[in-house]
Amino acid sequence: DIVMTQSPDSLAVSLGERATINCKSSQNVLYSSSNKNSLAWYQQKPGQPPKLIIYWASTRESGVPDRFSGSGSGTDFTLTISSLQAEDVAVYYCQQYYNIPRTFGQGTKVEIK
Amino acid sequence: EVQLVESGGGLVQPGGSLRLSCAASGFTFSIYSMNWVRQAPGKGLEWVSYINSVNIIYYADSVKGRFTISRDNAKNSLYLQMNSLKDEDTAIYYCATSSGHFDYWGQGTLVTVSS
């Protein structure tokens, strides 16, 4: 199984400041044939289901604000919130879909400082 | 608008059974791969099972041999038959569409396994 490890487990950022979450996979999730990384990011607010925000490591889902961006390739990935807003308080998860079983990171809780 | 509505959760004793349902609307259900993903109280996300449009099926090792996923395209519905339930199966169970990543999620149904 591919193990996904996020860091940090939690972070507190001031409104308007940058938040950065890292995700490392235990093996490569890059499809060489398509040059696409099978890596997604989800946002989960309290009492709600997760919401897809980034897929193929860097493609923003429709309707997601452009302050959210994803980067990285191979085994190391980053989710960046360029200017944190109050509504971004949530737990963020990375997930690989390179193979079965699909696996998630443990989650990173983002709060306001 | 895509809608996924789970039902069938509840309190069950260890060793018992439950059948979860997920009613889908707003998209062509028959051509989509579907999944069950669960979340234990206060914990992270765990993929449980997958079924695609031609009934290719996968399970997480933690549920293999105990859970059965199925779909009824005529009813636009996804199911999860859960047998031999254990305390550690206590979780919110979400159904989700997937094209690898999980595009749309239902609100979930809570399964509590306790004596």
Side-chain angles (χ1 to χ4, degrees), chain B residues 39-106:
Chain B
Q39 186 170 35
K43 302 297 184 183
L45 300 166
E46 180 188 17
W47 170 80
V48 172
S49 186
Y50 162 99
I51 184 169
N52 72 2
S53 60
V54 294
N55 285 331
I56 292 175
I57 288 170
Y58 299 104
Y59 297 100
D61 286 346
S62 58
V63 307
K64 203 172 293 182
R66 301 187 299 121
F67 289 12
T68 302
I69 191 172
S70 62
R71 64 192 299 162
D72 184 336
N73 292 334
K75 294 183 177 180
N76 287 343
S77 292
L78 176 72
Y79 305 102
L80 187 67
Q81 177 67 43
M82 304 187 296
N83 298 331
S84 304
L85 282 160
K86 306 175 181 181
D87 289 351
E88 53 264 39
D89 295 319
T90 293
I92 297 172
Y93 284 74
Y94 298 102
C95 65
T97 64
S98 78
S99 42
H101 47 271
F102 302 112
D103 308 271
Y104 298 101
W105 299 65

Short mmCIF file of all heavy atoms in Angstrom, two decimals, chain B residues 39-106:
data_model
loop_
_atom_site.label_atom_id
_atom_site.label_comp_id
_atom_site.label_asym_id
_atom_site.label_seq_id
_atom_site.Cartn_x
_atom_site.Cartn_y
_atom_site.Cartn_z
N GLN B 39 -15.15 7.31 7.86
CA GLN B 39 -14.41 8.19 8.76
C GLN B 39 -14.85 7.91 10.19
O GLN B 39 -15.98 8.21 10.58
CB GLN B 39 -14.66 9.66 8.40
CG GLN B 39 -13.81 10.64 9.18
CD GLN B 39 -13.92 12.05 8.61
OE1 GLN B 39 -14.97 12.47 8.14
NE2 GLN B 39 -12.83 12.79 8.65
N ALA B 40 -13.96 7.28 10.94
CA ALA B 40 -14.25 7.03 12.36
C ALA B 40 -14.34 8.36 13.10
O ALA B 40 -13.74 9.36 12.67
CB ALA B 40 -13.15 6.15 12.95
N PRO B 41 -15.08 8.41 14.20
CA PRO B 41 -15.28 9.67 14.93
C PRO B 41 -13.96 10.34 15.28
O PRO B 41 -13.08 9.73 15.91
CB PRO B 41 -16.03 9.23 16.19
CG PRO B 41 -16.73 7.98 15.78
CD PRO B 41 -15.84 7.29 14.81
N GLY B 42 -13.79 11.58 14.83
CA GLY B 42 -12.59 12.35 15.13
C GLY B 42 -11.33 11.90 14.41
O GLY B 42 -10.23 12.38 14.73
N LYS B 43 -11.47 11.00 13.44
CA LYS B 43 -10.32 10.44 12.75
C LYS B 43 -10.30 10.84 11.27
O LYS B 43 -11.14 11.62 10.83
CB LYS B 43 -10.34 8.90 12.86
CG LYS B 43 -10.34 8.39 14.30
CD LYS B 43 -9.09 8.78 15.05
CE LYS B 43 -9.07 8.17 16.44
NZ LYS B 43 -7.86 8.61 17.21
N GLY B 44 -9.35 10.29 10.54
CA GLY B 44 -9.19 10.60 9.13
C GLY B 44 -10.05 9.74 8.23
O GLY B 44 -10.92 8.99 8.67
N LEU B 45 -9.77 9.85 6.94
CA LEU B 45 -10.56 9.18 5.91
C LEU B 45 -9.95 7.83 5.54
O LEU B 45 -8.73 7.71 5.42
CB LEU B 45 -10.64 10.06 4.67
CG LEU B 45 -11.28 11.43 4.89
CD1 LEU B 45 -11.01 12.35 3.71
CD2 LEU B 45 -12.78 11.28 5.14
N GLU B 46 -10.81 6.83 5.35
CA GLU B 46 -10.36 5.50 4.96
C GLU B 46 -11.22 5.00 3.80
O GLU B 46 -12.45 4.87 3.95
CB GLU B 46 -10.45 4.52 6.13
CG GLU B 46 -10.00 3.11 5.77
CD GLU B 46 -10.26 2.09 6.87
OE1 GLU B 46 -11.08 2.36 7.77
OE2 GLU B 46 -9.66 0.99 6.80
N TRP B 47 -10.59 4.72 2.68
CA TRP B 47 -11.31 4.11 1.57
C TRP B 47 -11.72 2.69 1.94
O TRP B 47 -10.95 1.95 2.55
CB TRP B 47 -10.42 4.11 0.33
CG TRP B 47 -10.96 3.30 -0.79
CD1 TRP B 47 -11.93 3.68 -1.69
CD2 TRP B 47 -10.59 1.98 -1.14
NE1 TRP B 47 -12.18 2.65 -2.56
CE2 TRP B 47 -11.37 1.60 -2.25
CE3 TRP B 47 -9.68 1.06 -0.62
CZ2 TRP B 47 -11.26 0.35 -2.85
CZ3 TRP B 47 -9.56 -0.18 -1.21
CH2 TRP B 47 -10.35 -0.53 -2.32
N VAL B 48 -12.96 2.32 1.56
CA VAL B 48 -13.52 1.02 1.93
C VAL B 48 -13.68 0.09 0.73
O VAL B 48 -13.26 -1.07 0.77
CB VAL B 48 -14.88 1.19 2.63
CG1 VAL B 48 -15.58 -0.14 2.86
CG2 VAL B 48 -14.71 1.95 3.95
N SER B 49 -14.32 0.62 -0.34
CA SER B 49 -14.64 -0.27 -1.46
C SER B 49 -14.92 0.53 -2.72
O SER B 49 -15.26 1.71 -2.65
CB SER B 49 -15.85 -1.14 -1.11
OG SER B 49 -16.11 -2.10 -2.11
N TYR B 50 -14.78 -0.15 -3.86
CA TYR B 50 -14.92 0.46 -5.19
C TYR B 50 -15.67 -0.50 -6.10
O TYR B 50 -15.48 -1.72 -6.04
CB TYR B 50 -13.53 0.71 -5.74
CG TYR B 50 -13.40 0.93 -7.24
CD1 TYR B 50 -13.30 2.21 -7.75
CD2 TYR B 50 -13.32 -0.14 -8.13
CE1 TYR B 50 -13.15 2.44 -9.12
CE2 TYR B 50 -13.17 0.07 -9.50
CZ TYR B 50 -13.08 1.35 -9.98
OH TYR B 50 -12.92 1.57 -11.33
N ILE B 51 -16.54 0.08 -6.94
CA ILE B 51 -17.20 -0.70 -7.99
C ILE B 51 -17.28 0.18 -9.23
O ILE B 51 -17.65 1.36 -9.15
CB ILE B 51 -18.59 -1.19 -7.54
CG1 ILE B 51 -19.24 -2.08 -8.62
CG2 ILE B 51 -19.52 -0.03 -7.18
CD1 ILE B 51 -20.49 -2.81 -8.11
N ASN B 52 -16.94 -0.38 -10.38
CA ASN B 52 -17.02 0.44 -11.59
C ASN B 52 -18.25 0.04 -12.43
O ASN B 52 -19.11 -0.73 -12.00
CB ASN B 52 -15.72 0.40 -12.38
CG ASN B 52 -15.48 -0.92 -13.10
OD1 ASN B 52 -16.31 -1.83 -13.04
ND2 ASN B 52 -14.35 -1.01 -13.75
N SER B 53 -18.31 0.60 -13.61
CA SER B 53 -19.51 0.44 -14.45
C SER B 53 -19.69 -0.99 -14.97
O SER B 53 -20.81 -1.34 -15.39
CB SER B 53 -19.46 1.42 -15.62
OG SER B 53 -18.33 1.18 -16.42
N VAL B 54 -18.64 -1.78 -14.95
CA VAL B 54 -18.75 -3.17 -15.40
C VAL B 54 -18.56 -4.13 -14.23
O VAL B 54 -18.21 -5.29 -14.41
CB VAL B 54 -17.76 -3.49 -16.54
CG1 VAL B 54 -18.14 -2.69 -17.79
CG2 VAL B 54 -16.33 -3.21 -16.13
N ASN B 55 -18.84 -3.61 -13.02
CA ASN B 55 -18.83 -4.41 -11.79
C ASN B 55 -17.48 -5.02 -11.44
O ASN B 55 -17.42 -6.10 -10.84
CB ASN B 55 -19.91 -5.50 -11.83
CG ASN B 55 -21.30 -4.92 -11.61
OD1 ASN B 55 -21.45 -3.91 -10.93
ND2 ASN B 55 -22.29 -5.54 -12.20
N ILE B 56 -16.42 -4.34 -11.79
CA ILE B 56 -15.11 -4.68 -11.22
C ILE B 56 -15.09 -4.09 -9.82
O ILE B 56 -15.43 -2.93 -9.62
CB ILE B 56 -13.96 -4.15 -12.08
CG1 ILE B 56 -13.92 -4.91 -13.40
CG2 ILE B 56 -12.63 -4.28 -11.34
CD1 ILE B 56 -12.90 -4.40 -14.38
N ILE B 57 -14.70 -4.90 -8.85
CA ILE B 57 -14.85 -4.55 -7.43
C ILE B 57 -13.53 -4.72 -6.68
O ILE B 57 -12.78 -5.67 -6.95
CB ILE B 57 -15.94 -5.45 -6.80
CG1 ILE B 57 -17.33 -5.04 -7.30
CG2 ILE B 57 -15.89 -5.42 -5.28
CD1 ILE B 57 -18.44 -6.01 -6.91
N TYR B 58 -13.28 -3.80 -5.76
CA TYR B 58 -12.13 -3.89 -4.86
C TYR B 58 -12.58 -3.56 -3.44
O TYR B 58 -13.53 -2.79 -3.24
CB TYR B 58 -11.03 -2.90 -5.27
CG TYR B 58 -10.46 -3.11 -6.64
CD1 TYR B 58 -10.80 -2.27 -7.69
CD2 TYR B 58 -9.57 -4.15 -6.89
CE1 TYR B 58 -10.27 -2.45 -8.95
CE2 TYR B 58 -9.03 -4.33 -8.16
CZ TYR B 58 -9.39 -3.48 -9.18
OH TYR B 58 -8.86 -3.67 -10.43
N TYR B 59 -11.84 -4.11 -2.48
CA TYR B 59 -12.11 -3.84 -1.07
C TYR B 59 -10.80 -3.52 -0.34
O TYR B 59 -9.74 -4.03 -0.70
CB TYR B 59 -12.73 -5.06 -0.39
CG TYR B 59 -14.08 -5.47 -0.93
CD1 TYR B 59 -14.19 -6.54 -1.83
CD2 TYR B 59 -15.24 -4.79 -0.56
CE1 TYR B 59 -15.43 -6.91 -2.34
CE2 TYR B 59 -16.47 -5.16 -1.06
CZ TYR B 59 -16.55 -6.22 -1.95
OH TYR B 59 -17.78 -6.59 -2.45
N ALA B 60 -10.93 -2.73 0.71
CA ALA B 60 -9.82 -2.58 1.65
C ALA B 60 -9.64 -3.89 2.40
O ALA B 60 -10.61 -4.62 2.65
CB ALA B 60 -10.12 -1.45 2.63
N ASP B 61 -8.40 -4.19 2.76
CA ASP B 61 -8.14 -5.43 3.49
C ASP B 61 -8.94 -5.51 4.79
O ASP B 61 -9.32 -6.59 5.22
CB ASP B 61 -6.64 -5.54 3.81
CG ASP B 61 -5.81 -5.89 2.59
OD1 ASP B 61 -6.39 -6.30 1.56
OD2 ASP B 61 -4.57 -5.73 2.66
N SER B 62 -9.19 -4.36 5.40
CA SER B 62 -9.87 -4.32 6.70
C SER B 62 -11.33 -4.80 6.62
O SER B 62 -11.91 -5.13 7.66
CB SER B 62 -9.83 -2.90 7.28
OG SER B 62 -10.42 -1.98 6.37
N VAL B 63 -11.90 -4.83 5.42
CA VAL B 63 -13.31 -5.23 5.29
C VAL B 63 -13.51 -6.42 4.36
O VAL B 63 -14.63 -6.93 4.24
CB VAL B 63 -14.19 -4.06 4.80
CG1 VAL B 63 -14.00 -2.84 5.69
CG2 VAL B 63 -13.92 -3.72 3.34
N LYS B 64 -12.43 -6.87 3.73
CA LYS B 64 -12.54 -7.96 2.76
C LYS B 64 -13.09 -9.21 3.42
O LYS B 64 -12.67 -9.58 4.52
CB LYS B 64 -11.15 -8.25 2.17
CG LYS B 64 -11.15 -8.92 0.82
CD LYS B 64 -9.74 -8.98 0.25
CE LYS B 64 -9.20 -7.61 -0.09
NZ LYS B 64 -7.86 -7.65 -0.70
N GLY B 65 -14.08 -9.83 2.76
CA GLY B 65 -14.71 -11.02 3.30
C GLY B 65 -15.88 -10.74 4.22
O GLY B 65 -16.63 -11.65 4.57
N ARG B 66 -16.05 -9.48 4.61
CA ARG B 66 -17.17 -9.11 5.50
C ARG B 66 -18.15 -8.16 4.82
O ARG B 66 -19.34 -8.18 5.12
CB ARG B 66 -16.63 -8.45 6.77
CG ARG B 66 -15.70 -9.32 7.58
CD ARG B 66 -15.33 -8.66 8.92
NE ARG B 66 -14.65 -7.38 8.76
CZ ARG B 66 -15.10 -6.23 9.25
NH1 ARG B 66 -16.22 -6.18 9.93
NH2 ARG B 66 -14.41 -5.12 9.09
N PHE B 67 -17.63 -7.29 3.95
CA PHE B 67 -18.47 -6.29 3.28
C PHE B 67 -18.63 -6.67 1.81
O PHE B 67 -17.72 -7.22 1.20
CB PHE B 67 -17.82 -4.90 3.36
CG PHE B 67 -17.82 -4.26 4.72
CD1 PHE B 67 -18.14 -4.97 5.88
CD2 PHE B 67 -17.47 -2.93 4.86
CE1 PHE B 67 -18.14 -4.37 7.13
CE2 PHE B 67 -17.46 -2.30 6.09
CZ PHE B 67 -17.79 -3.03 7.23
N THR B 68 -19.80 -6.32 1.25
CA THR B 68 -20.07 -6.55 -0.17
C THR B 68 -20.66 -5.29 -0.78
O THR B 68 -21.69 -4.80 -0.31
CB THR B 68 -21.04 -7.72 -0.37
OG1 THR B 68 -20.50 -8.90 0.24
CG2 THR B 68 -21.28 -7.97 -1.85
N ILE B 69 -20.00 -4.79 -1.80
CA ILE B 69 -20.50 -3.62 -2.53
C ILE B 69 -21.30 -4.09 -3.74
O ILE B 69 -20.97 -5.12 -4.35
CB ILE B 69 -19.34 -2.69 -2.96
CG1 ILE B 69 -19.85 -1.34 -3.46
CG2 ILE B 69 -18.46 -3.37 -4.00
CD1 ILE B 69 -18.72 -0.32 -3.71
N SER B 70 -22.35 -3.36 -4.07
CA SER B 70 -23.13 -3.69 -5.26
C SER B 70 -23.82 -2.42 -5.75
O SER B 70 -23.83 -1.40 -5.05
CB SER B 70 -24.17 -4.78 -4.95
OG SER B 70 -25.09 -4.33 -3.97
N ARG B 71 -24.38 -2.51 -6.93
CA ARG B 71 -25.09 -1.36 -7.49
C ARG B 71 -26.30 -1.85 -8.29
O ARG B 71 -26.31 -2.98 -8.80
CB ARG B 71 -24.15 -0.54 -8.38
CG ARG B 71 -23.64 -1.25 -9.62
CD ARG B 71 -22.50 -0.46 -10.28
NE ARG B 71 -22.93 0.86 -10.73
CZ ARG B 71 -22.10 1.85 -11.00
NH1 ARG B 71 -20.79 1.69 -10.85
NH2 ARG B 71 -22.57 3.02 -11.42
N ASP B 72 -27.31 -0.99 -8.37
CA ASP B 72 -28.48 -1.25 -9.19
C ASP B 72 -28.65 -0.04 -10.09
O ASP B 72 -29.16 1.01 -9.64
CB ASP B 72 -29.72 -1.47 -8.31
CG ASP B 72 -30.95 -1.85 -9.10
OD1 ASP B 72 -31.02 -1.52 -10.31
OD2 ASP B 72 -31.86 -2.47 -8.53
N ASN B 73 -28.20 -0.14 -11.31
CA ASN B 73 -28.25 1.00 -12.22
C ASN B 73 -29.67 1.41 -12.55
O ASN B 73 -29.94 2.59 -12.82
CB ASN B 73 -27.46 0.70 -13.49
CG ASN B 73 -25.97 0.58 -13.24
OD1 ASN B 73 -25.43 1.16 -12.28
ND2 ASN B 73 -25.28 -0.18 -14.06
N ALA B 74 -30.60 0.48 -12.54
CA ALA B 74 -32.01 0.81 -12.83
C ALA B 74 -32.59 1.70 -11.74
O ALA B 74 -33.50 2.50 -11.99
CB ALA B 74 -32.82 -0.45 -12.98
N LYS B 75 -32.05 1.56 -10.51
CA LYS B 75 -32.54 2.36 -9.38
C LYS B 75 -31.58 3.49 -9.03
O LYS B 75 -31.78 4.18 -8.03
CB LYS B 75 -32.75 1.46 -8.16
CG LYS B 75 -33.86 0.44 -8.34
CD LYS B 75 -34.07 -0.37 -7.07
CE LYS B 75 -35.23 -1.35 -7.24
NZ LYS B 75 -35.47 -2.17 -6.02
N ASN B 76 -30.50 3.65 -9.82
CA ASN B 76 -29.49 4.69 -9.52
C ASN B 76 -29.01 4.59 -8.08
O ASN B 76 -28.93 5.61 -7.37
CB ASN B 76 -30.05 6.09 -9.80
CG ASN B 76 -30.18 6.39 -11.27
OD1 ASN B 76 -29.59 5.72 -12.12
ND2 ASN B 76 -30.97 7.39 -11.60
N SER B 77 -28.72 3.38 -7.67
CA SER B 77 -28.37 3.16 -6.26
C SER B 77 -27.12 2.31 -6.09
O SER B 77 -26.86 1.39 -6.87
CB SER B 77 -29.54 2.51 -5.53
OG SER B 77 -30.64 3.39 -5.42
N LEU B 78 -26.40 2.65 -5.03
CA LEU B 78 -25.20 1.93 -4.61
C LEU B 78 -25.48 1.35 -3.23
O LEU B 78 -26.19 1.97 -2.43
CB LEU B 78 -24.02 2.91 -4.53
CG LEU B 78 -22.69 2.38 -4.02
CD1 LEU B 78 -22.04 1.47 -5.05
CD2 LEU B 78 -21.75 3.54 -3.65
N TYR B 79 -24.92 0.17 -2.96
CA TYR B 79 -25.18 -0.49 -1.69
C TYR B 79 -23.87 -0.97 -1.05
O TYR B 79 -22.86 -1.18 -1.73
CB TYR B 79 -26.10 -1.70 -1.89
CG TYR B 79 -27.40 -1.36 -2.58
CD1 TYR B 79 -27.57 -1.64 -3.94
CD2 TYR B 79 -28.43 -0.74 -1.89
CE1 TYR B 79 -28.76 -1.31 -4.58
CE2 TYR B 79 -29.62 -0.40 -2.54
CZ TYR B 79 -29.77 -0.69 -3.88
OH TYR B 79 -30.94 -0.36 -4.52
N LEU B 80 -23.93 -1.14 0.27
CA LEU B 80 -22.83 -1.78 0.99
C LEU B 80 -23.45 -2.70 2.04
O LEU B 80 -24.06 -2.22 3.01
CB LEU B 80 -21.92 -0.76 1.65
CG LEU B 80 -20.66 -1.34 2.29
CD1 LEU B 80 -19.71 -1.91 1.21
CD2 LEU B 80 -19.92 -0.31 3.13
N GLN B 81 -23.33 -4.00 1.82
CA GLN B 81 -23.78 -4.98 2.78
C GLN B 81 -22.63 -5.24 3.75
O GLN B 81 -21.54 -5.64 3.32
CB GLN B 81 -24.19 -6.29 2.11
CG GLN B 81 -24.61 -7.39 3.06
CD GLN B 81 -25.89 -7.07 3.81
OE1 GLN B 81 -26.85 -6.57 3.22
NE2 GLN B 81 -25.89 -7.33 5.12
N MET B 82 -22.87 -4.98 5.03
CA MET B 82 -21.83 -5.11 6.04
C MET B 82 -22.21 -6.21 7.01
O MET B 82 -23.24 -6.11 7.70
CB MET B 82 -21.65 -3.79 6.77
CG MET B 82 -21.36 -2.61 5.84
SD MET B 82 -20.97 -1.09 6.73
CE MET B 82 -22.49 -0.79 7.57
N ASN B 83 -21.42 -7.26 7.06
CA ASN B 83 -21.65 -8.40 7.96
C ASN B 83 -20.51 -8.51 8.97
O ASN B 83 -19.44 -7.90 8.78
CB ASN B 83 -21.75 -9.69 7.15
CG ASN B 83 -22.91 -9.69 6.17
OD1 ASN B 83 -23.93 -9.03 6.40
ND2 ASN B 83 -22.76 -10.42 5.09
N SER B 84 -20.74 -9.28 10.00
CA SER B 84 -19.71 -9.53 11.03
C SER B 84 -19.08 -8.22 11.50
O SER B 84 -17.86 -8.10 11.57
CB SER B 84 -18.64 -10.48 10.48
OG SER B 84 -19.19 -11.68 10.02
N LEU B 85 -19.92 -7.27 11.82
CA LEU B 85 -19.44 -5.94 12.16
C LEU B 85 -18.64 -5.95 13.46
O LEU B 85 -18.94 -6.70 14.41
CB LEU B 85 -20.60 -4.95 12.25
CG LEU B 85 -21.11 -4.48 10.88
CD1 LEU B 85 -22.51 -3.91 10.98
CD2 LEU B 85 -20.15 -3.48 10.28
N LYS B 86 -17.60 -5.11 13.48
CA LYS B 86 -16.70 -4.99 14.63
C LYS B 86 -16.78 -3.57 15.18
O LYS B 86 -17.21 -2.63 14.49
CB LYS B 86 -15.27 -5.27 14.20
CG LYS B 86 -15.06 -6.60 13.50
CD LYS B 86 -13.63 -6.74 13.02
CE LYS B 86 -13.40 -8.06 12.29
NZ LYS B 86 -12.00 -8.20 11.83
N ASP B 87 -16.32 -3.41 16.41
CA ASP B 87 -16.30 -2.07 17.02
C ASP B 87 -15.57 -1.07 16.11
O ASP B 87 -16.01 0.09 15.98
CB ASP B 87 -15.57 -2.13 18.37
CG ASP B 87 -16.36 -2.86 19.44
OD1 ASP B 87 -17.54 -3.19 19.19
OD2 ASP B 87 -15.79 -3.12 20.52
N GLU B 88 -14.49 -1.51 15.50
CA GLU B 88 -13.68 -0.60 14.69
C GLU B 88 -14.33 -0.23 13.36
O GLU B 88 -13.76 0.57 12.61
CB GLU B 88 -12.29 -1.19 14.46
CG GLU B 88 -12.27 -2.59 13.89
CD GLU B 88 -12.12 -3.66 14.96
OE1 GLU B 88 -12.72 -3.51 16.06
OE2 GLU B 88 -11.41 -4.66 14.69
N ASP B 89 -15.50 -0.78 13.06
CA ASP B 89 -16.24 -0.36 11.87
C ASP B 89 -17.11 0.86 12.15
O ASP B 89 -17.73 1.40 11.24
CB ASP B 89 -17.14 -1.51 11.36
CG ASP B 89 -16.34 -2.70 10.87
OD1 ASP B 89 -15.31 -2.49 10.20
OD2 ASP B 89 -16.75 -3.84 11.16
N THR B 90 -17.16 1.30 13.41
CA THR B 90 -17.91 2.50 13.76
C THR B 90 -17.35 3.69 13.02
O THR B 90 -16.16 4.01 13.12
CB THR B 90 -17.84 2.75 15.29
OG1 THR B 90 -18.54 1.70 15.96
CG2 THR B 90 -18.47 4.09 15.64
N ALA B 91 -18.20 4.36 12.24
CA ALA B 91 -17.74 5.46 11.39
C ALA B 91 -18.93 6.09 10.67
O ALA B 91 -20.02 5.51 10.63
CB ALA B 91 -16.74 4.96 10.36
N ILE B 92 -18.69 7.25 10.11
CA ILE B 92 -19.57 7.81 9.09
C ILE B 92 -19.16 7.19 7.77
O ILE B 92 -17.96 7.18 7.43
CB ILE B 92 -19.46 9.34 9.02
CG1 ILE B 92 -19.91 9.97 10.33
CG2 ILE B 92 -20.30 9.87 7.85
CD1 ILE B 92 -19.66 11.47 10.41
N TYR B 93 -20.13 6.67 7.04
CA TYR B 93 -19.87 6.05 5.74
C TYR B 93 -20.38 6.98 4.65
O TYR B 93 -21.56 7.34 4.63
CB TYR B 93 -20.54 4.69 5.66
CG TYR B 93 -19.81 3.63 6.45
CD1 TYR B 93 -19.87 3.61 7.84
CD2 TYR B 93 -19.03 2.67 5.82
CE1 TYR B 93 -19.17 2.67 8.58
CE2 TYR B 93 -18.33 1.71 6.55
CZ TYR B 93 -18.41 1.73 7.93
OH TYR B 93 -17.72 0.78 8.66
N TYR B 94 -19.47 7.37 3.76
CA TYR B 94 -19.79 8.23 2.64
C TYR B 94 -19.77 7.43 1.34
O TYR B 94 -18.87 6.60 1.14
CB TYR B 94 -18.74 9.34 2.49
CG TYR B 94 -18.61 10.29 3.64
CD1 TYR B 94 -17.57 10.18 4.56
CD2 TYR B 94 -19.50 11.36 3.81
CE1 TYR B 94 -17.41 11.08 5.60
CE2 TYR B 94 -19.35 12.27 4.86
CZ TYR B 94 -18.32 12.11 5.75
OH TYR B 94 -18.17 13.01 6.78
N CYS B 95 -20.71 7.71 0.45
CA CYS B 95 -20.55 7.23 -0.91
C CYS B 95 -19.97 8.39 -1.72
O CYS B 95 -20.20 9.56 -1.41
CB CYS B 95 -21.84 6.72 -1.52
SG CYS B 95 -23.14 7.92 -1.77
N ALA B 96 -19.18 8.06 -2.72
CA ALA B 96 -18.50 9.07 -3.51
C ALA B 96 -18.31 8.59 -4.93
O ALA B 96 -17.97 7.41 -5.15
CB ALA B 96 -17.14 9.42 -2.89
N THR B 97 -18.50 9.48 -5.87
CA THR B 97 -18.17 9.16 -7.26
C THR B 97 -16.66 9.24 -7.42
O THR B 97 -15.98 9.94 -6.64
CB THR B 97 -18.80 10.16 -8.24
OG1 THR B 97 -18.24 11.46 -8.01
CG2 THR B 97 -20.31 10.24 -8.06
N SER B 98 -16.12 8.54 -8.40
CA SER B 98 -14.69 8.67 -8.61
C SER B 98 -14.29 8.48 -10.06
O SER B 98 -14.86 7.68 -10.78
CB SER B 98 -13.90 7.70 -7.75
OG SER B 98 -13.91 6.41 -8.29
N SER B 99 -13.30 9.28 -10.40
CA SER B 99 -12.55 9.05 -11.62
C SER B 99 -11.09 8.99 -11.17
O SER B 99 -10.23 9.68 -11.68
CB SER B 99 -12.79 10.19 -12.62
OG SER B 99 -12.78 11.44 -11.97
N GLY B 100 -10.89 8.16 -10.12
CA GLY B 100 -9.59 8.13 -9.45
C GLY B 100 -9.70 8.94 -8.18
O GLY B 100 -9.78 8.43 -7.08
N HIS B 101 -9.74 10.26 -8.35
CA HIS B 101 -10.04 11.12 -7.19
C HIS B 101 -11.56 11.06 -6.97
O HIS B 101 -12.32 10.65 -7.85
CB HIS B 101 -9.58 12.54 -7.46
CG HIS B 101 -9.99 13.07 -8.80
ND1 HIS B 101 -9.23 12.93 -9.94
CD2 HIS B 101 -11.08 13.75 -9.17
CE1 HIS B 101 -9.83 13.49 -10.95
NE2 HIS B 101 -10.96 14.00 -10.51
N PHE B 102 -11.96 11.50 -5.78
CA PHE B 102 -13.38 11.42 -5.40
C PHE B 102 -14.03 12.77 -5.67
O PHE B 102 -13.82 13.73 -4.96
CB PHE B 102 -13.50 11.02 -3.93
CG PHE B 102 -12.82 9.71 -3.63
CD1 PHE B 102 -11.69 9.65 -2.85
CD2 PHE B 102 -13.32 8.52 -4.15
CE1 PHE B 102 -11.05 8.45 -2.58
CE2 PHE B 102 -12.69 7.32 -3.89
CZ PHE B 102 -11.56 7.28 -3.10
N ASP B 103 -14.84 12.80 -6.75
CA ASP B 103 -15.37 14.08 -7.21
C ASP B 103 -16.51 14.59 -6.34
O ASP B 103 -16.53 15.75 -5.95
CB ASP B 103 -15.89 13.93 -8.65
CG ASP B 103 -14.86 13.31 -9.58
OD1 ASP B 103 -14.08 14.05 -10.17
OD2 ASP B 103 -14.87 12.06 -9.69
N TYR B 104 -17.49 13.74 -6.10
CA TYR B 104 -18.68 14.15 -5.34
C TYR B 104 -18.90 13.19 -4.19
O TYR B 104 -18.69 11.99 -4.33
CB TYR B 104 -19.92 14.17 -6.25
CG TYR B 104 -19.82 15.15 -7.37
CD1 TYR B 104 -19.49 14.73 -8.66
CD2 TYR B 104 -20.07 16.51 -7.16
CE1 TYR B 104 -19.39 15.64 -9.70
CE2 TYR B 104 -19.97 17.42 -8.20
CZ TYR B 104 -19.62 16.98 -9.45
OH TYR B 104 -19.54 17.88 -10.48
N TRP B 105 -19.34 13.76 -3.06
CA TRP B 105 -19.55 13.00 -1.84
C TRP B 105 -20.97 13.23 -1.33
O TRP B 105 -21.51 14.33 -1.45
CB TRP B 105 -18.59 13.47 -0.75
CG TRP B 105 -17.14 13.32 -1.04
CD1 TRP B 105 -16.42 13.95 -2.02
CD2 TRP B 105 -16.20 12.51 -0.33
NE1 TRP B 105 -15.10 13.58 -1.96
CE2 TRP B 105 -14.94 12.70 -0.93
CE3 TRP B 105 -16.29 11.64 0.76
CZ2 TRP B 105 -13.78 12.04 -0.48
CZ3 TRP B 105 -15.15 10.99 1.21
CH2 TRP B 105 -13.91 11.19 0.59
N GLY B 106 -21.55 12.20 -0.72
CA GLY B 106 -22.79 12.39 0.00
C GLY B 106 -22.51 12.96 1.38
O GLY B 106 -21.35 13.20 1.75
#
